[in-house]
Amino acid sequence: MSANNTTWPSEVPDYTCVRFYVSTVSFSVLFFFNIIINWTIVRVEQLRSHARFVLVFHLLVSGLVHLGMSSIFYYQIHLHARPGRSACLAMITIMISSACNILLTLTAMALDRYYAVCHPMRYTSTCTAAHWPWLLGVLTWIVALIIPLSIPQPDSQVAYNGECGLEQRRKGELQRMLFISLCALLIIYSYVRIFVEGRRLGVMNRRNRAGCRTIALHGSQLAVYILPNFVSFVLTMLNKRELIQPETKELSAVVVFAFFSLAQCVAPVVYGLRKEELLEQLSHRFPCCAQHLKSVLGWTVQVNWSQNQQKSRFFVL
């Protein structure tokens, strides 16, 4: 059994090189969107005082931090580096906290839209302060940082063998799954209530498909962030029960990682660039980029908004 254990790592590839390249490409794409979108949000008072766009800002920053740290993490694994225990713990903490903050921000966005659609009078009276969305973002970061720090860590140096790999990142997986499930339930509840409210107001009909399209696009993007964790958890459980081979588990895991990491780069499209207010401001500051983005996003954005001024509360999505 000792011989098998010593040869096991060489027999089962973990595809860290693939994970590194995918994380780097995703980071580069998201870095571009961070520059043009977040710079515009910060510079325009109308945008930086609105909860929708401030939460988009936090979502983009969280995604950028997560992908950037993931790229560094997988690169050091690929190089067979042996960072210190503190450095390894710092990398894992940043990755987990940024991933948790993505889910917390998505949950805050869903609850914000639910409150605006289902309780518009209360929302207008209580959420008009320009600073409260930024305070909400700070709060989500604090909560996201508490989550990885609450995961039990080995106390002795003997428990750390110098290798900062995937096994260290998987610690506390059950707690993270409970957290993800709670966020998913809150998000689903919010959008179900928004859908029901839209039906009650009579805006969910054939002549008004933008609301249905918005919910569908938001739902698909939420799935992009949530599903990978469930798939990874299921693969781990199947491997522990010896229902699938370790090689199959690692190959499936890296395919899921690559697909969903690249898919997460469309978050700016769903949560930012579909907003005509943001596109209008982008056209002033980045005219070349905005022109191409408008042509690409023509299937999701109503270009002629001037003819559709009579919008219901449902379209604050």
Side-chain angles (χ1 to χ4, degrees), residues 18 22 39 90 119 125 161 172 194 200-201 205 232 245 249-250 263:
V18 177
V22 170
W39 175 258
H119 306 283
S125 61
N161 59 4
I194 291 173
R200 188 184 69 83
L201 295 173
N205 50 50
S232 177
Q245 296 295 326
K249 183 257 182 184
E250 293 297 337

Side-chain angles (χ1 to χ4, degrees), residues 202-223:
V203 298
M204 306 291 280
N205 50 50
R206 291 185 178 181
R207 293 181 301 173
N208 201 349
R209 297 177 180 177
C212 296
R213 188 183 304 166
T214 300
I215 286 183
L217 288 173
H218 279 225
S220 62
Q221 191 59 32
L222 294 172

Side-chain angles (χ1 to χ4, degrees), residues 216-257:
L217 288 173
H218 279 225
S220 62
Q221 191 59 32
L222 294 172
V224 164
Y225 283 103
I226 293 175
L227 283 180
N229 299 277
F230 286 100
V231 174
S232 177
F233 182 76
V234 171
L235 289 174
T236 302
M237 291 297 101
L238 291 176
N239 183 38
K240 288 182 178 180
R241 297 177 183 272
E242 298 183 353
L243 297 177
I244 60 174
Q245 296 295 326
E247 296 85 351
T248 304
K249 183 257 182 184
E250 293 297 337
L251 179 59
S252 302
V254 75
V255 170
V256 170
F257 175 84

